[in-house]
Amino acid sequence: MTQVVPPILSVTPSRALVDEKFKVLVENLPPGCPVTVRSLHHSEDKDDWEAYGHYVSDHSGVVSVSEDLSYGGTYTGKEPMGLLWSMRPVPGSRPGLRLRKMNVCTPMLVTVSVHSGHEGFRDQAPLASVLTERWYMAPGIRRININEQGVQGTLFIPPGPGPFPGLLDMWGGGGGLLESRAALLASHGYVSLALDYLGFDQESENLEFKYFETAFNIIKDHPQVMPDRVGIFGLSLGSLVAVTLAAYSTIVKPCCIVCISCNHYYPARGSTVTSKFEGVTRQLSKARVNEDNQVIWKDVALEFITDPSNIAEVGRINCPTLLVNGCDDQNWPTVETAEDVARLMREAGKEHLLSRLAYPDTGHLIEPPFSPHFRATTFVMRSSKEKVILLWGGQTKPHSDAQEDSWRKILSFLQFHLYCSPNLKAKI
């Protein structure tokens, strides 16, 4: 493509939260001009991630990613946010990668560029490019390291005097302290504690239970938190903690719980969550491996939860509960778990407390909107330190749609149960 005046590329807004949409517009192209619009991100792990769509400019020389069809690339059709949710490692990258933002005090930097034609775009200089910032932490959020009463985590407090509702936020069996979702929840008006819990081997179930209860109370007792408006948010193994606290604790009384890819496997009373999880992973050594050498835990895990003595007494839960699961989850039998939770709560006369979201062709790792889909990634087994490729499941387009839809409904659920109360309103 030869022209005197270069095309004009704009991304609006160029700085936004990760769950906010942007608009990408290319102007000043020749009419009917084939171009590729590409996004590129260099991760904190030093890996490059990309997405791209092939477009043809209209009669006025414009390509609008929000309005026009992509004719090929990592996504097709009219996909305003395809440049984010369809991101994948560039060709030649290490296998099993997962994109995670560990330092939430800095933005995820994404370069959006436009290239001539539909082929060979990686080998040519862009016609135009724009650097965009995607943030988990909104301006004014306070981030506070927590290391008190034996509890370790990170507290995020929205700007303003409050008081605010609170959330205890826990990720799954991968371990480590992940702050991104808690920072994003704080950006939506919740004092959120990202809790590190798998790195501490408690001596007994009682001591471990006390650890979680203490973490909950750190939020509840904070002067900017409404003490009767604290919930629990967990994914995978974190959802098991949410369920067991809501069911068994005499100290913790959550106002509501959100369980993504729910787990209610709770055998061997008296043992800790960590020891239960390590016991599970040892048994999962006999799990099926597919033709791509990806480990599928779901089938073996299904055997665990068919024994009633192995599951938590979810009928004891007395707060509104939201279950979110993918119907193509290959890591854990979350569809069967959700059905069992519904049955047990119905038998206890508490089905009115339960809300369920289930998404076809969606896998285990349901994250905030526009996060890339990870069908299979590297996972380090806690007991043996062996690295395996775990199959999480899901197909990219429906999984990404599910992340967007479920996040909107999760925020509505939290708003209804933690904010919608007379005379209790935070000053944001």
Side-chain angles (χ1 to χ4, degrees), residues 400-420:
S400 301
D401 288 344
Q403 290 188 149
E404 185 176 352
D405 185 76
S406 63
W407 184 250
R408 182 175 65 251
K409 290 174 179 174
I410 288 168
L411 292 180
S412 295
F413 178 84
L414 294 174
Q415 172 80 17
F416 183 80
H417 292 292
L418 296 180
Y419 260 116
C420 294

Side-chain angles (χ1 to χ4, degrees), residues 36-40 50-52 83 90 111-113 115 121-122:
T36 296
V37 182
R38 183 194 192 199
S39 60
L40 183 66
E50 69 171 3
Y52 55 91
L83 288 169
V90 299
T111 300
V112 178
S113 55
H115 303 255
F121 59 90
R122 293 189 190 91

Side-chain angles (χ1 to χ4, degrees), residues 17 19 136-138 141 156-158 165-171 179-194 232-234 258 368 407 410-411 414 418-419:
L17 290 175
D19 59 354
Y136 283 95
M137 197 163 71
I141 300 290
F156 294 90
I157 304 175
L167 283 168
L168 177 62
D169 182 43
M170 292 168 289
W171 285 77
E179 301 179 355
S180 56
R181 191 173 58 205
L184 189 57
L185 288 166
S187 300
H188 286 278
Y190 301 91
V191 173
S192 302
L193 174 60
I232 306 176
F233 197 131
V258 175
W407 184 250
I410 288 168
L411 292 180
L414 294 174
L418 296 180
Y419 260 116

Side-chain angles (χ1 to χ4, degrees), residues 129-329:
S129 64
V130 172
L131 183 65
T132 67
E133 297 181 3
R134 309 290 294 177
W135 289 85
Y136 283 95
M137 197 163 71
I141 300 290
R142 283 187 292 149
R143 177 187 175 277
I144 302 170
N145 290 321
I146 298 296
N147 188 1
E148 59 182 80
Q149 303 177 64
V151 171
Q152 291 195 21
T154 308
L155 190 67
F156 294 90
I157 304 175
F164 305 99
L167 283 168
L168 177 62
D169 182 43
M170 292 168 289
W171 285 77
L177 179 59
L178 297 176
E179 301 179 355
S180 56
R181 191 173 58 205
L184 189 57
L185 288 166
S187 300
H188 286 278
Y190 301 91
V191 173
S192 302
L193 174 60
L195 184 65
D196 191 357
Y197 66 97
L198 270 183
F200 307 95
D201 296 327
Q202 305 288 348
E203 295 177 3
S204 69
E205 183 181 34
N206 287 338
L207 285 176
E208 183 182 63
F209 223 61
K210 184 179 179 181
Y211 181 85
F212 294 122
E213 290 172 334
T214 302
F216 185 93
N217 284 336
I218 286 174
I219 307 168
K220 181 177 72 72
D221 296 337
H222 193 280
Q224 286 182 268
V225 172
M226 308 173 191
D228 60 343
R229 290 290 181 271
V230 180
I232 306 176
F233 197 131
L235 178 143
S236 192
L237 191 63
S239 72
L240 172 62
V241 178
V243 164
T244 52
L245 282 174
Y248 296 115
S249 177
T250 58
I251 296 173
V252 165
K253 302 297 178 186
C255 194
C256 64
I257 60 174
V258 175
C259 300
I260 299 178
S261 300
C262 187
N263 183 337
H264 72 335
Y265 178 61
Y266 195 63
R269 304 297 191 271
S271 63
T272 65
V273 168
T274 298
S275 62
K276 288 182 177 71
F277 179 61
E278 290 184 349
V280 166
T281 56
R282 280 192 292 270
Q283 296 179 66
L284 289 170
S285 61
K286 56 185 178 182
R288 181 163 57 95
V289 178
N290 67 11
E291 63 276 8
D292 295 318
N293 203 34
Q294 297 165 343
V295 181
I296 302 169
W297 281 2
K298 178 182 177 180
D299 302 337
V300 177
L302 188 57
E303 298 175 13
F304 301 159
I305 66 171
T306 54
D307 182 350
S309 66
N310 280 343
I311 59 178
E313 298 171 85
V314 295
R316 297 167 58 110
I317 294 174
N318 290 310
C319 66
T321 300
L322 175 62
L323 305 185
V324 182
N325 69 273
C327 297
D328 188 40
D329 191 331

